[in-house]
Amino acid sequence: MHTNYIYIFIMFAVSFIIRVLPLTLIRKEIKNITIRSFLYYVPYVTLAVMTFPAIMEDTKSPVAGFCALIVGIVTAWLGGGLFPTAIACSAVVFVLELFI
Amino acid sequence: MNNNKHWFLKGLKDGIPIAMGYFAVSFALGFTASSAGLTVFQATLASLLCNASAGEYAGFVGIASKVSYLTMATMIAVVNIRYLLMSASLSQKLPEETSLPHRLLVGFWITDEIFGASVTVPGKLNPFYNYGLAISSLSFWALGTCLGAIVGNVVPDNIVSALGVLLYGMFLAIIIPPAKENRIVRFLIILAMASSFVFSKLPGLSSISNGTRISILTILISGAAAFLFPIKEDEDKLETGADASHAEAVEVENAH
């Protein structure tokens, strides 16, 4: 259990170094278009990879998790925003798992 | 001196709408932390030290699957790599003579939303503005994580399952609206989800830990996309702070 603190320390140290490196040592804008493009795409790709298939593995029933994914995509597509999308996903899992 | 106080108080005030979005996201994150086996104290500590939703989520996934320390460091670097861009941008925004301790503290508290607010300041940036923003918004980030972890430890199984998807819903709310506008982003999200599924199910590949899968696919897909579909100047909205997860704060502001 005590290794959790080492994990948390690594999480802190790496996030901190990335955040302070340009501010302290580099002190320049990043102009390279390939690097900028890469950094632009990273959040979308990483969040997509994190969401699926994990959403099906964190629920008791994978089917409920999959339905939550579909409902979440539709809600967000229709402009649902942060809270409604999250709550819609949650409600779908809660209701479906009463029956499955 | 007086100027610093003015900027600090302005930061505290401007951080309030950000705090509400943070509270919701970090509650969901705290819940994930407790499922990953962290104590309430550990989850709160992670939030106080890391200040990042995707970054902390990746860390908790790594802790849950007991990855090696090197794998953990790689994952955190990949998932948080975009902060390089924000930090580089802020290095131009701070006055030249800003001392090292101030630079370190401004860097420590870079988040999408704090960056977004601080680049809209006209002229040079007073670091005390960032401290005000960070203290009023990130205290709710830590508080939300703490409460999420507490709730995660006490609720029954069927509620755990339902609340467990809150964070994924939030991730979808961040990535889907830009996917609607931009067909390359749309294509990349579909590709990322499909590859992630294949990686986790295919014999051989499925032995790769969840954390390593996140790192490998993020680098491969974003890297290929950077070469194949370089962004146009106007597409890269980081300068104005309107990047992916800034939408959270904007949305909260609009709702009130």
Side-chain angles (χ1 to χ4, degrees):
Chain A
M1 203 54 188
H2 72 279
T3 57
N4 280 4
Y5 288 102
I6 301 177
Y7 279 128
I8 293 169
F9 177 77
I10 296 171
M11 288 162 65
F12 155 70
V14 176
S15 329
F16 181 68
I17 290 166
I18 288 175
R19 283 183 170 114
V20 299
L21 211 58
L23 265 166
T24 52
L25 293 177
I26 307 171
R27 301 196 187 189
K28 278 197 198 93
E29 281 280 3
I30 298 173
K31 293 255 191 268
N32 183 293
I33 200 73
T34 307
I35 296 176
R36 290 192 76 104
S37 301
F38 176 73
L39 297 177
Y40 171 78
Y41 291 128
V42 160
Y44 302 112
V45 172
T46 202
L47 290 178
V49 171
M50 283 174 178
T51 300
F52 190 73
I55 194 169
M56 286 162 43
E57 289 158 2
D58 283 8
T59 46
K60 261 192 303 180
S61 140
V63 177
F66 187 75
C67 294
L69 175 77
I70 302 300
V71 167
I73 291 174
V74 172
T75 312
W77 187 275
L78 297 175
L82 192 70
F83 298 101
T85 307
I87 289 164
C89 292
S90 215
V92 165
V93 171
F94 182 74
V95 172
L96 285 180
E97 288 191 347
L98 291 177
F99 300 105
I100 296 175
Chain B
M1 260 324 263
N2 210 5
N3 202 23
N4 291 346
K5 192 180 162 195
H6 162 81
W7 278 109
F8 182 71
L9 292 175
K10 183 172 163 48
L12 285 180
K13 184 171 144 283
D14 293 352
I16 294 166
I18 302 175
M20 288 186 279
Y22 277 5
F23 184 79
V25 177
S26 63
F27 179 87
L29 194 61
F31 202 81
T32 307
S34 79
S35 314
L38 280 87
T39 64
V40 173
F41 176 77
Q42 290 167 343
T44 313
L45 182 70
S47 272
L48 281 169
L49 293 175
C50 301
N51 314 317
S53 54
E56 286 180 46
Y57 174 82
F60 299 152
V61 167
I63 291 176
S65 49
K66 306 244 177 295
V67 295
S68 71
Y69 294 142
L70 182 65
T71 306
M72 174 64 89
T74 312
M75 283 165 64
I76 299 296
V78 171
V79 171
N80 285 324
I81 195 83
R82 71 188 189 286
Y83 290 123
L84 278 180
L85 197 57
M86 297 178 204
S87 176
S89 174
L90 288 180
S91 74
Q92 306 302 298
K93 187 81 180 159
L94 284 175
E96 193 75 22
E97 69 279 7
T98 307
S99 66
L100 185 64
H102 282 301
R103 286 174 186 270
L104 293 176
L105 205 49
V106 167
F108 174 61
W109 276 326
I110 292 176
T111 67
D112 304 273
E113 292 75 16
I114 290 173
F115 172 79
S118 56
V119 289
T120 59
V121 170
K124 287 290 174 187
L125 177 66
N126 184 320
F128 282 86
Y129 181 54
N130 288 45
Y131 307 156
L133 283 167
I135 288 167
S136 71
S137 64
L138 289 170
S139 48
F140 282 86
W141 181 255
L143 182 69
T145 314
C146 178
L147 291 178
I150 291 172
V151 169
N153 281 326
V154 297
V155 294
D157 264 7
N158 58 334
I159 307 280
V160 168
S161 206
L163 291 185
V165 298
L166 276 178
L167 191 63
Y168 300 118
M170 291 170 183
F171 287 167
L172 291 172
I174 293 168
I175 63 176
I176 297 299
K180 198 176 161 183
E181 306 296 322
N182 183 323
R183 64 190 172 83
I184 295 167
V185 171
R186 186 156 71 232
F187 167 70
L188 291 178
I189 288 172
I190 296 169
L191 180 66
M193 286 190 176
S195 326
S196 180
F197 183 76
V198 170
F199 256 61
S200 67
K201 302 293 172 204
L202 217 64
L205 286 177
S206 64
S207 60
I208 297 171
S209 76
N210 290 341
T212 308
R213 172 164 50 90
I214 293 170
S215 307
I216 293 177
L217 290 178
T218 301
I219 293 174
L220 282 181
I221 297 175
S222 309
F227 282 103
L228 295 172
F229 316 111
I231 52 168
K232 295 173 203 81
E233 283 298 333
D234 61 327
E235 222 174 341
D236 187 349
K237 295 182 193 138
L238 259 184
E239 239 57 285
T240 59
D243 76 309
S245 24
H246 186 55
E248 292 162 23
V250 172
E251 191 224 328
V252 171
E253 272 167 306
N254 290 343
H256 290 266

